[in-house]
Amino acid sequence: MKSVKIPSITIYRLSVYARNLAYLDKKNVEVISSEHLADICGINPAQIRKDLAYFGEFGVRGVGYYVKDLLYQLQKILRQDRQWHLGLIGVGNLGAALLQHTHFLKQGYVFVAAFEKDEQKIGKRVGNIIISDIRNLEDVTKKTGMEIGVIATGRSSAQEIVDRLVDAGIKGILNFAPIQLQVPENVFIEYVDFTIKLDVLCYRISSNERERSKLNSIFPKAGSNDKKY
Amino acid sequence: MKSVKIPSITIYRLSVYARNLAYLDKKNVEVISSEHLADICGINPAQIRKDLAYFGEFGVRGVGYYVKDLLYQLQKILRQDRQWHLGLIGVGNLGAALLQHTHFLKQGYVFVAAFEKDEQKIGKRVGNIIISDIRNLEDVTKKTGMEIGVIATGRSSAQEIVDRLVDAGIKGILNFAPIQLQVPENVFIEYVDFTIKLDVLCYRISSNERERSKLNSIFPKAGSNDKKY
């Protein structure tokens, strides 16, 4: 593999391919045409070929892709061929739901710890995890082999928690708190933000409606300008 | 406003600006330099100017931005100046957490309905919402004035639900189910996908480690190759 910087969007799509291939594999599909795979993934076939080309040659001309084989290769590339250990910080409604989100486990992501500052919650069990005191963050992080910190705290404490995680050696952060966070260059962060997605959605709906009402005022529908006598 | 197609990433960033301005406003900050705003948002100042330029002229040279004023303008652009009505489909752990996610409400997003196929859950209350029978999706959608469908079902039923929502007149979908969905051209969809974000994160961590271990094998650390006699 050449040492090229792979764009995040390519990694994102590889993950989509892998997920859909896993689904096909479960359904005992052995071979899939690039057109069909593209269709399921909502991506055009040329894009799939381009994304895969970063990593080598896959697929057989005139046949398509062997599902199991391509899945195996993608899982190796994405390092989905091993488990990753997550730690949750902030066990509110969302945090508790994440701890019990079965889809994580299916994809090889396992929570090994959860942390709270709320005394009422410390020591309680959610799913398979007993909630730790946030004051023991560094200790528990090391003891449990936590690799990724999942931040589900409020905005105000998120940066402090991230700084402590980074000091404890954590290299990846999945952030659900509604704030931009600072991390050193060798630490990676991804944001999950529902309300920003909703904002984008509502903007798209509104501006589409504005366009339509503009068009309607130029080309009124039959009947809409008819005078009634 | 000219009728230019605004890139999604610009809308995404406008939403980030608006959120941070709302926070500053709450802290009674009246004016902010473009550098400081950029810093808080984790975006460079030139990008902010470029994004805002789609919509007009904002900010005062040598002063920066008036927080309240820019926030008001952005909220108008993003149509955050009104409430949006959400309906949840699928009240599992994640769905229930979303119904009770206070951050939605703060941003003007209000759940008006929730749907389940599980008889045990139908009629139960979560937050302020009484769960409806999925069989009544079309009726309840119309009665409650639902505008956006939030999909938190499993993979297998998501597309059927979306088709029914589209038929009932829904124009926006926020999808948490791990599947690509088909919608007509005048319906908009945004995906929230934790595990894909985790995949990207783990890829970044692994490939960074690979790079480092490659470097270490070329330039071994002092001591690592010392022979012990």
mmCIF file of all heavy atoms in Angstrom, chain B residues 164-195:
data_model
loop_
_atom_site.group_PDB
_atom_site.id
_atom_site.type_symbol
_atom_site.label_atom_id
_atom_site.label_comp_id
_atom_site.label_asym_id
_atom_site.label_seq_id
_atom_site.Cartn_x
_atom_site.Cartn_y
_atom_site.Cartn_z
ATOM 1 N N ARG B 164 -43.819 5.327 3.163
ATOM 2 C CA ARG B 164 -45.117 5.733 3.718
ATOM 3 C C ARG B 164 -45.089 7.197 4.158
ATOM 4 O O ARG B 164 -46.062 7.929 3.940
ATOM 5 C CB ARG B 164 -45.500 4.825 4.902
ATOM 6 C CG ARG B 164 -45.906 3.419 4.461
ATOM 7 C CD ARG B 164 -46.178 2.499 5.641
ATOM 8 N NE ARG B 164 -47.281 2.978 6.479
ATOM 9 C CZ ARG B 164 -47.572 2.460 7.690
ATOM 10 N NH1 ARG B 164 -46.844 1.486 8.176
ATOM 11 N NH2 ARG B 164 -48.585 2.931 8.363
ATOM 12 N N LEU B 165 -43.986 7.623 4.759
ATOM 13 C CA LEU B 165 -43.866 9.028 5.173
ATOM 14 C C LEU B 165 -43.924 9.961 3.970
ATOM 15 O O LEU B 165 -44.595 11.001 3.994
ATOM 16 C CB LEU B 165 -42.551 9.249 5.935
ATOM 17 C CG LEU B 165 -42.487 8.681 7.356
ATOM 18 C CD1 LEU B 165 -41.060 8.748 7.904
ATOM 19 C CD2 LEU B 165 -43.440 9.443 8.289
ATOM 20 N N VAL B 166 -43.214 9.577 2.917
ATOM 21 C CA VAL B 166 -43.193 10.403 1.698
ATOM 22 C C VAL B 166 -44.611 10.501 1.122
ATOM 23 O O VAL B 166 -45.066 11.595 0.768
ATOM 24 C CB VAL B 166 -42.193 9.824 0.670
ATOM 25 C CG1 VAL B 166 -42.359 10.492 -0.694
ATOM 26 C CG2 VAL B 166 -40.758 9.999 1.167
ATOM 27 N N ASP B 167 -45.310 9.388 1.083
ATOM 28 C CA ASP B 167 -46.699 9.398 0.596
ATOM 29 C C ASP B 167 -47.591 10.291 1.462
ATOM 30 O O ASP B 167 -48.551 10.884 0.978
ATOM 31 C CB ASP B 167 -47.289 7.974 0.584
ATOM 32 C CG ASP B 167 -46.747 7.167 -0.588
ATOM 33 O OD1 ASP B 167 -46.170 7.780 -1.511
ATOM 34 O OD2 ASP B 167 -46.879 5.930 -0.566
ATOM 35 N N ALA B 168 -47.265 10.376 2.755
ATOM 36 C CA ALA B 168 -48.058 11.198 3.672
ATOM 37 C C ALA B 168 -47.648 12.675 3.612
ATOM 38 O O ALA B 168 -48.171 13.499 4.346
ATOM 39 C CB ALA B 168 -47.934 10.675 5.094
ATOM 40 N N GLY B 169 -46.678 12.994 2.749
ATOM 41 C CA GLY B 169 -46.332 14.402 2.511
ATOM 42 C C GLY B 169 -45.103 14.909 3.249
ATOM 43 O O GLY B 169 -44.783 16.103 3.205
ATOM 44 N N ILE B 170 -44.389 14.017 3.920
ATOM 45 C CA ILE B 170 -43.174 14.426 4.651
ATOM 46 C C ILE B 170 -42.067 14.808 3.657
ATOM 47 O O ILE B 170 -41.848 14.102 2.679
ATOM 48 C CB ILE B 170 -42.707 13.265 5.575
ATOM 49 C CG1 ILE B 170 -43.714 13.050 6.699
ATOM 50 C CG2 ILE B 170 -41.299 13.504 6.121
ATOM 51 C CD1 ILE B 170 -43.809 14.181 7.698
ATOM 52 N N LYS B 171 -41.385 15.929 3.940
ATOM 53 C CA LYS B 171 -40.362 16.427 3.007
ATOM 54 C C LYS B 171 -38.933 16.257 3.514
ATOM 55 O O LYS B 171 -37.974 16.543 2.795
ATOM 56 C CB LYS B 171 -40.619 17.912 2.715
ATOM 57 C CG LYS B 171 -41.907 18.189 1.950
ATOM 58 C CD LYS B 171 -41.739 17.875 0.474
ATOM 59 C CE LYS B 171 -43.015 18.074 -0.318
ATOM 60 N NZ LYS B 171 -43.827 16.818 -0.332
ATOM 61 N N GLY B 172 -38.789 15.819 4.789
ATOM 62 C CA GLY B 172 -37.439 15.683 5.341
ATOM 63 C C GLY B 172 -37.326 14.452 6.228
ATOM 64 O O GLY B 172 -38.228 14.150 7.000
ATOM 65 N N ILE B 173 -36.196 13.734 6.089
ATOM 66 C CA ILE B 173 -35.950 12.512 6.864
ATOM 67 C C ILE B 173 -34.586 12.627 7.549
ATOM 68 O O ILE B 173 -33.588 12.946 6.899
ATOM 69 C CB ILE B 173 -35.909 11.267 5.934
ATOM 70 C CG1 ILE B 173 -37.192 11.131 5.097
ATOM 71 C CG2 ILE B 173 -35.587 9.994 6.719
ATOM 72 C CD1 ILE B 173 -38.387 10.592 5.837
ATOM 73 N N LEU B 174 -34.566 12.387 8.849
ATOM 74 C CA LEU B 174 -33.298 12.236 9.560
ATOM 75 C C LEU B 174 -33.169 10.751 9.873
ATOM 76 O O LEU B 174 -33.964 10.205 10.636
ATOM 77 C CB LEU B 174 -33.305 13.068 10.851
ATOM 78 C CG LEU B 174 -31.988 13.103 11.640
ATOM 79 C CD1 LEU B 174 -30.908 13.839 10.850
ATOM 80 C CD2 LEU B 174 -32.181 13.783 12.998
ATOM 81 N N ASN B 175 -32.187 10.098 9.274
ATOM 82 C CA ASN B 175 -32.116 8.643 9.356
ATOM 83 C C ASN B 175 -30.998 8.140 10.262
ATOM 84 O O ASN B 175 -29.835 8.412 10.033
ATOM 85 C CB ASN B 175 -31.923 8.039 7.963
ATOM 86 C CG ASN B 175 -31.834 6.527 8.015
ATOM 87 O OD1 ASN B 175 -32.555 5.891 8.781
ATOM 88 N ND2 ASN B 175 -30.945 5.954 7.220
ATOM 89 N N PHE B 176 -31.389 7.400 11.303
ATOM 90 C CA PHE B 176 -30.434 6.745 12.194
ATOM 91 C C PHE B 176 -30.288 5.259 11.868
ATOM 92 O O PHE B 176 -29.446 4.587 12.479
ATOM 93 C CB PHE B 176 -30.887 6.861 13.660
ATOM 94 C CG PHE B 176 -30.759 8.239 14.237
ATOM 95 C CD1 PHE B 176 -31.707 9.205 13.979
ATOM 96 C CD2 PHE B 176 -29.689 8.572 15.047
ATOM 97 C CE1 PHE B 176 -31.600 10.485 14.513
ATOM 98 C CE2 PHE B 176 -29.569 9.851 15.595
ATOM 99 C CZ PHE B 176 -30.530 10.802 15.320
ATOM 100 N N ALA B 177 -31.106 4.722 10.968
ATOM 101 C CA ALA B 177 -31.012 3.294 10.641
ATOM 102 C C ALA B 177 -29.796 3.068 9.736
ATOM 103 O O ALA B 177 -29.502 3.896 8.875
ATOM 104 C CB ALA B 177 -32.282 2.831 9.932
ATOM 105 N N PRO B 178 -29.077 1.968 9.941
ATOM 106 C CA PRO B 178 -27.845 1.745 9.182
ATOM 107 C C PRO B 178 -28.105 1.250 7.764
ATOM 108 O O PRO B 178 -27.752 0.137 7.416
ATOM 109 C CB PRO B 178 -27.107 0.710 10.026
ATOM 110 C CG PRO B 178 -28.181 -0.036 10.742
ATOM 111 C CD PRO B 178 -29.322 0.907 10.932
ATOM 112 N N ILE B 179 -28.721 2.088 6.952
ATOM 113 C CA ILE B 179 -29.037 1.716 5.566
ATOM 114 C C ILE B 179 -29.198 2.975 4.722
ATOM 115 O O ILE B 179 -29.628 4.012 5.226
ATOM 116 C CB ILE B 179 -30.331 0.849 5.517
ATOM 117 C CG1 ILE B 179 -30.637 0.377 4.102
ATOM 118 C CG2 ILE B 179 -31.523 1.589 6.102
ATOM 119 C CD1 ILE B 179 -31.811 -0.589 3.998
ATOM 120 N N GLN B 180 -28.795 2.876 3.444
ATOM 121 C CA GLN B 180 -29.041 3.961 2.494
ATOM 122 C C GLN B 180 -30.495 3.887 2.068
ATOM 123 O O GLN B 180 -30.983 2.819 1.730
ATOM 124 C CB GLN B 180 -28.143 3.831 1.257
ATOM 125 C CG GLN B 180 -26.666 3.708 1.556
ATOM 126 C CD GLN B 180 -26.100 4.916 2.230
ATOM 127 O OE1 GLN B 180 -26.239 6.025 1.717
ATOM 128 N NE2 GLN B 180 -25.476 4.742 3.385
ATOM 129 N N LEU B 181 -31.168 5.030 2.040
ATOM 130 C CA LEU B 181 -32.594 5.027 1.714
ATOM 131 C C LEU B 181 -32.857 5.803 0.431
ATOM 132 O O LEU B 181 -32.117 6.728 0.083
ATOM 133 C CB LEU B 181 -33.378 5.641 2.877
ATOM 134 C CG LEU B 181 -33.278 4.863 4.201
ATOM 135 C CD1 LEU B 181 -33.800 5.686 5.355
ATOM 136 C CD2 LEU B 181 -34.038 3.554 4.102
ATOM 137 N N GLN B 182 -33.899 5.390 -0.263
ATOM 138 C CA GLN B 182 -34.297 6.055 -1.519
ATOM 139 C C GLN B 182 -35.429 7.027 -1.219
ATOM 140 O O GLN B 182 -36.419 6.638 -0.608
ATOM 141 C CB GLN B 182 -34.801 5.025 -2.531
ATOM 142 C CG GLN B 182 -33.917 3.802 -2.710
ATOM 143 C CD GLN B 182 -32.603 4.124 -3.359
ATOM 144 O OE1 GLN B 182 -32.516 5.053 -4.175
ATOM 145 N NE2 GLN B 182 -31.558 3.401 -3.001
ATOM 146 N N VAL B 183 -35.267 8.278 -1.668
ATOM 147 C CA VAL B 183 -36.359 9.245 -1.565
ATOM 148 C C VAL B 183 -36.485 9.993 -2.892
ATOM 149 O O VAL B 183 -35.518 10.095 -3.630
ATOM 150 C CB VAL B 183 -36.125 10.284 -0.441
ATOM 151 C CG1 VAL B 183 -36.242 9.646 0.941
ATOM 152 C CG2 VAL B 183 -34.784 10.986 -0.587
ATOM 153 N N PRO B 184 -37.700 10.495 -3.202
ATOM 154 C CA PRO B 184 -37.852 11.291 -4.423
ATOM 155 C C PRO B 184 -37.036 12.581 -4.335
ATOM 156 O O PRO B 184 -36.588 12.973 -3.256
ATOM 157 C CB PRO B 184 -39.344 11.608 -4.466
ATOM 158 C CG PRO B 184 -39.993 10.902 -3.348
ATOM 159 C CD PRO B 184 -38.941 10.379 -2.441
ATOM 160 N N GLU B 185 -36.910 13.260 -5.504
ATOM 161 C CA GLU B 185 -36.035 14.430 -5.610
ATOM 162 C C GLU B 185 -36.435 15.573 -4.691
ATOM 163 O O GLU B 185 -35.588 16.343 -4.254
ATOM 164 C CB GLU B 185 -36.079 14.903 -7.066
ATOM 165 C CG GLU B 185 -34.761 15.367 -7.603
ATOM 166 C CD GLU B 185 -34.954 15.948 -8.993
ATOM 167 O OE1 GLU B 185 -35.944 16.711 -9.201
ATOM 168 O OE2 GLU B 185 -34.136 15.632 -9.856
ATOM 169 N N ASN B 186 -37.742 15.709 -4.416
ATOM 170 C CA ASN B 186 -38.200 16.849 -3.608
ATOM 171 C C ASN B 186 -38.253 16.530 -2.111
ATOM 172 O O ASN B 186 -38.807 17.294 -1.330
ATOM 173 C CB ASN B 186 -39.572 17.332 -4.095
ATOM 174 C CG ASN B 186 -40.632 16.260 -3.886
ATOM 175 O OD1 ASN B 186 -40.312 15.063 -3.822
ATOM 176 N ND2 ASN B 186 -41.881 16.663 -3.754
ATOM 177 N N VAL B 187 -37.681 15.377 -1.729
ATOM 178 C CA VAL B 187 -37.609 15.013 -0.316
ATOM 179 C C VAL B 187 -36.132 14.954 0.068
ATOM 180 O O VAL B 187 -35.300 14.488 -0.707
ATOM 181 C CB VAL B 187 -38.293 13.652 -0.054
ATOM 182 C CG1 VAL B 187 -38.109 13.208 1.396
ATOM 183 C CG2 VAL B 187 -39.770 13.731 -0.399
ATOM 184 N N PHE B 188 -35.798 15.459 1.255
ATOM 185 C CA PHE B 188 -34.397 15.549 1.655
ATOM 186 C C PHE B 188 -34.113 14.578 2.795
ATOM 187 O O PHE B 188 -34.980 14.318 3.621
ATOM 188 C CB PHE B 188 -34.072 16.987 2.058
ATOM 189 C CG PHE B 188 -34.343 17.936 0.931
ATOM 190 C CD1 PHE B 188 -35.582 18.549 0.804
ATOM 191 C CD2 PHE B 188 -33.388 18.157 -0.047
ATOM 192 C CE1 PHE B 188 -35.854 19.383 -0.266
ATOM 193 C CE2 PHE B 188 -33.649 18.995 -1.119
ATOM 194 C CZ PHE B 188 -34.888 19.603 -1.230
ATOM 195 N N ILE B 189 -32.904 14.061 2.777
ATOM 196 C CA ILE B 189 -32.560 13.066 3.795
ATOM 197 C C ILE B 189 -31.158 13.350 4.321
ATOM 198 O O ILE B 189 -30.271 13.754 3.564
ATOM 199 C CB ILE B 189 -32.685 11.637 3.222
ATOM 200 C CG1 ILE B 189 -32.478 10.583 4.296
ATOM 201 C CG2 ILE B 189 -31.758 11.393 2.061
ATOM 202 C CD1 ILE B 189 -33.045 9.229 3.934
ATOM 203 N N GLU B 190 -30.987 13.235 5.622
ATOM 204 C CA GLU B 190 -29.666 13.337 6.240
ATOM 205 C C GLU B 190 -29.449 12.077 7.078
ATOM 206 O O GLU B 190 -30.388 11.566 7.688
ATOM 207 C CB GLU B 190 -29.561 14.583 7.130
ATOM 208 C CG GLU B 190 -29.524 15.899 6.364
ATOM 209 C CD GLU B 190 -28.178 16.170 5.682
ATOM 210 O OE1 GLU B 190 -27.149 15.710 6.196
ATOM 211 O OE2 GLU B 190 -28.179 16.825 4.628
ATOM 212 N N TYR B 191 -28.205 11.614 7.098
ATOM 213 C CA TYR B 191 -27.864 10.385 7.807
ATOM 214 C C TYR B 191 -27.084 10.697 9.077
ATOM 215 O O TYR B 191 -26.180 11.539 9.055
ATOM 216 C CB TYR B 191 -27.008 9.488 6.920
ATOM 217 C CG TYR B 191 -27.749 8.976 5.704
ATOM 218 C CD1 TYR B 191 -27.808 9.711 4.531
ATOM 219 C CD2 TYR B 191 -28.399 7.751 5.753
ATOM 220 C CE1 TYR B 191 -28.506 9.244 3.420
ATOM 221 C CE2 TYR B 191 -29.097 7.273 4.652
ATOM 222 C CZ TYR B 191 -29.145 8.023 3.494
ATOM 223 O OH TYR B 191 -29.839 7.566 2.399
ATOM 224 N N VAL B 192 -27.426 10.034 10.168
ATOM 225 C CA VAL B 192 -26.613 10.105 11.382
ATOM 226 C C VAL B 192 -26.132 8.691 11.642
ATOM 227 O O VAL B 192 -26.938 7.788 11.826
ATOM 228 C CB VAL B 192 -27.420 10.586 12.600
ATOM 229 C CG1 VAL B 192 -26.514 10.689 13.819
ATOM 230 C CG2 VAL B 192 -28.083 11.922 12.317
ATOM 231 N N ASP B 193 -24.841 8.504 11.604
ATOM 232 C CA ASP B 193 -24.336 7.147 11.671
ATOM 233 C C ASP B 193 -23.099 7.087 12.542
ATOM 234 O O ASP B 193 -22.022 7.479 12.155
ATOM 235 C CB ASP B 193 -24.039 6.658 10.263
ATOM 236 C CG ASP B 193 -23.998 5.156 10.245
ATOM 237 O OD1 ASP B 193 -23.310 4.594 11.105
ATOM 238 O OD2 ASP B 193 -24.664 4.553 9.385
ATOM 239 N N PHE B 194 -23.308 6.587 13.774
ATOM 240 C CA PHE B 194 -22.198 6.554 14.738
ATOM 241 C C PHE B 194 -21.107 5.598 14.306
ATOM 242 O O PHE B 194 -19.930 5.895 14.430
ATOM 243 C CB PHE B 194 -22.646 6.057 16.115
ATOM 244 C CG PHE B 194 -23.950 6.574 16.567
ATOM 245 C CD1 PHE B 194 -24.786 5.792 17.352
ATOM 246 C CD2 PHE B 194 -24.366 7.851 16.248
ATOM 247 C CE1 PHE B 194 -25.978 6.270 17.797
ATOM 248 C CE2 PHE B 194 -25.574 8.345 16.693
ATOM 249 C CZ PHE B 194 -26.389 7.544 17.461
ATOM 250 N N THR B 195 -21.523 4.408 13.838
ATOM 251 C CA THR B 195 -20.502 3.387 13.604
ATOM 252 C C THR B 195 -19.626 3.752 12.408
ATOM 253 O O THR B 195 -18.441 3.441 12.408
ATOM 254 C CB THR B 195 -21.104 1.977 13.430
ATOM 255 O OG1 THR B 195 -22.161 2.045 12.502
ATOM 256 C CG2 THR B 195 -21.629 1.456 14.749
#
